[in-house]
Amino acid sequence: MNAPPFPPELILYYSPKACSLAPHIVLEESGLPYATRSVNIRTGEHLRPEYLQLNPSGTVPALSIDGQILTESQALLSYLADLVPERELLPRPGTLARARAHEWMNFISSSLHAAYRSVFRPQSYGGDHPEVVEAVRAQGHERLARALQTVERRLGDTPYALGDAFSAVDAYLFVFYLWSFDERLSGEMPPRPRYRALAQRVWQRGAVRRVVARERGVRAYDLPAEMAGADAPLVDLA
């Protein structure tokens, strides 16, 4: 049986500044050829019939792999990293380090992302009941504060989430650092100097700057003050 051609034809369906930013960054870091299609969830493009025919769940990110659709950020990040093991975007399968990577990504998707959703889209949980929606939003702020404190504690004293080298986990964490400056958040956020330092290291990468510039060209969005300039040196993988 012949092996499928390599690399596969990759098309990423993303929405600017959504969680799809993480696989967008990893695709750019991978060095693989790929195409992108913007699906702006803020204007409801993810609910259009043509997108639902492609991806019935109506979510982003979605990755077309030789015409087959893969969804869910962690699945995309793992798949893309494994396409280019030489880039070391995730530790190799079967190692404790790889399990730690999945531990991080599961926490990000199930706890950190869910807390943001409670604040940004409380109607998803509270329905059409205003008092319930407000209660969900208030609880979401509390959950988010705890989740950010967990990130800060878990980062420890290493430069990146998994140690001394950049990985797909850092790209995933970078997205939610940007979200912590969203105008829909109220009240003070917990101190997060380690998280900020990590985000600044990620921001120095040329692939990250290119992807953010591409997405902001589709829909402009603000960046934290420390990322507004372009004076930091850029770093690319060899």
Side-chain angles (χ1 to χ4, degrees):
M1 186 175 181
N2 294 330
F6 184 87
E9 182 182 50
L10 302 171
I11 305 173
L12 177 70
Y13 294 84
Y14 76 95
S15 185
K17 202 185 173 185
C19 55
S20 52
L21 176 57
H24 199 168
I25 289 171
V26 170
L27 267 168
E28 188 73 15
E29 292 275 2
S30 75
L32 294 168
Y34 70 97
T36 59
R37 303 286 187 272
S38 174
V39 183
N40 194 334
I41 59 177
R42 291 201 174 190
T43 59
E45 290 182 1
H46 62 304
L47 300 177
R48 292 179 179 175
E50 56 269 30
Y51 187 65
L52 291 175
Q53 184 175 3
L54 175 82
N55 175 16
S57 66
T59 58
V60 294
L63 182 67
S64 174
I65 307 163
D66 288 335
Q68 298 189 57
I69 293 296
L70 182 67
T71 63
E72 303 298 335
S73 293
Q74 182 171 347
L76 270 64
L77 294 174
S78 298
Y79 172 78
L80 293 169
D82 288 342
L83 282 180
V84 285
E86 70 278 6
R87 297 275 181 163
E88 298 183 339
L89 292 168
L90 283 177
R92 64 181 179 84
T95 62
L96 178 57
R98 179 61 169 248
R100 291 296 184 199
H102 284 288
E103 181 181 43
W104 261 115
M105 292 189 289
N106 278 321
F107 169 78
I108 293 168
S109 63
S110 66
S111 296
L112 186 57
H113 192 176
Y116 277 111
R117 186 183 293 113
S118 297
V119 178
F120 294 166
R121 293 192 297 163
Q123 297 84 357
S124 299
Y125 302 103
D128 298 325
H129 307 283
E131 68 281 2
V132 178
V133 167
E134 286 308 309
V136 169
R137 183 180 284 115
Q139 185 188 56
H141 277 98
E142 295 176 4
R143 291 176 62 196
L144 178 57
R146 291 195 298 270
L148 290 171
Q149 289 168 343
T150 299
V151 170
E152 187 71 12
R153 183 179 69 253
R154 287 187 179 182
L155 284 175
D157 297 323
T158 58
Y160 295 98
L162 299 181
D164 293 331
F166 171 85
S167 74
V169 174
D170 303 301
Y172 206 7
L173 283 168
F174 179 77
V175 176
F176 296 101
Y177 181 79
L178 296 186
W179 285 18
S180 70
F181 292 87
D182 192 279
E183 68 276 4
R184 290 168 288 181
L185 295 174
S186 61
E188 288 191 15
M189 304 294 284
R192 48 200 187 282
R194 291 169 173 168
Y195 201 175
R196 176 177 178 171
L198 170 72
Q200 288 176 324
R201 291 187 191 98
V202 173
W203 180 238
Q204 291 172 8
R205 303 182 71 81
V208 176
R209 297 279 189 94
R210 289 192 296 273
V211 166
V212 169
R214 183 182 301 140
E215 293 200 357
R216 293 178 80 201
V218 173
R219 179 181 68 79
Y221 54 79
D222 292 334
L223 294 171
E226 67 267 24
M227 297 176 188
D231 297 330
L234 302 185
V235 179
D236 276 303
L237 288 175

